[in-house]
Amino acid sequence: MPTSAGPRLLGPAEVRQLAAELDLRPTKQRGQNFVIDANTVRRIVRESGVGPDDVVLEVGPGLGSLTLALLEVARHVVAVEVDEVLAARLPATVAAYAPEQRDRLEVVLADAMRVTELPGPSPTALVANLPYNVSVPVLLHLMALLPSLERGLVMVQAEVADRLAAPPGSKVYGVPSVKAAWYADVRRAGSVGRNVFWPAPNVDSGLVAWTRREPPVTTATREQVFTVIDTAFAHRRKALRGALRGLAGSAEAAVAALEAAGVDPMARGEVLDIAAYVRIAEALPWEDPE
């Protein structure tokens, strides 16, 4: 048990013991890989810049490795967990390992992809080891849902981390890169090896840090801008005049919109930044909703 020296974090033995007590077998379906290294969770908390004024949103707390580290420094932690067994156990784990901080934890049994509101004070930071299979849609959903989030640090598959932080024109620049840029300045914040997880995944992980900024000022809606992004990358190898033809109504209308936006009609979607997509959305002839 923890001593008066302060909360103890979970190591390999504690994680496996908790899993055994719960008869837990991590599933690929839910992207479950639990962190078993205390130095890694301390590093994540340190890199996140979370402090005593922050209300932290954690997605997929699992057995509580990162939760305990966050409770050491944050004012409040809201942990969203989709697994009923894990959600039910987390408060008891915190009570055992960090009894003085248990009142600062709120556990929400929910799917982070479908959550529409959270209890308590508005979260200011998102810090999470995101389930690999849904990391991008969860991140984009929470950025849209919670404008109170000022910054975040998430651990995701290394390839996804590269994609989220990629600049225009790079090989891995794509839909996640552009959509994330609508909400925030995004950067790669380091790498994480496989051996800090149980079970060890067959891919490396990466840290992605982001800082909220105001979305672009535009007469187009976010949905319209995102529709242009999706359409441009759905036909990645096509020049934009062809890729956007269906959306514009004709190749001629696509060319007119692109030229009005100051974009070369023969350019491809992967060379454009978020500002260019905004200008295209503004120039397209959208039908008025009924």
Side-chain angles (χ1 to χ4, degrees), residues 202-248:
N202 56 8
V203 291
D204 292 322
S205 298
L207 298 177
V208 175
W210 55 271
T211 307
R212 170 85 64 176
R213 56 180 168 74
E214 287 301 309
V217 176
T218 173
T219 55
T221 65
R222 182 180 70 212
E223 289 74 20
Q224 288 171 339
V225 176
F226 282 15
T227 297
V228 176
I229 294 166
D230 288 333
T231 307
F233 283 96
H235 308 282
R236 195 178 180 109
R237 303 200 178 280
K238 280 190 180 179
L240 285 165
R241 60 172 287 172
L244 300 180
R245 181 176 57 195
L247 193 59

Side-chain angles (χ1 to χ4, degrees), residues 260-273:
V263 174
D264 179 358
M266 296 309 293
R268 290 181 179 174
E270 59 260 37
V271 302
L272 303 186
D273 62 9

Side-chain angles (χ1 to χ4, degrees), residues 182 216-221 224-225 228 256-258 260-261 274-286:
W182 171 276
V217 176
T218 173
T219 55
T221 65
Q224 288 171 339
V225 176
V228 176
L258 289 161
I274 185 64
Y277 279 105
V278 166
R279 295 197 305 273
I280 295 169
E282 288 175 341
L284 280 169
W286 299 96

Side-chain angles (χ1 to χ4, degrees), residues 117-175:
E117 59 181 359
L118 293 172
S122 299
T124 57
L126 169 67
V127 185
N129 169 24
L130 290 177
Y132 279 178
N133 48 351
V134 292
S135 54
V136 170
V138 164
L139 179 61
L140 293 174
H141 172 62
L142 294 173
M143 283 175 153
L145 179 70
L146 301 166
S148 62
L149 289 172
E150 298 162 8
R151 63 194 183 286
L153 185 85
V154 294
M155 181 156 57
V156 295
Q157 197 171 326
E159 178 189 338
V160 174
D162 291 339
R163 209 174 295 150
L164 281 165
S170 67
K171 278 185 180 177
V172 293
Y173 185 72
V175 171

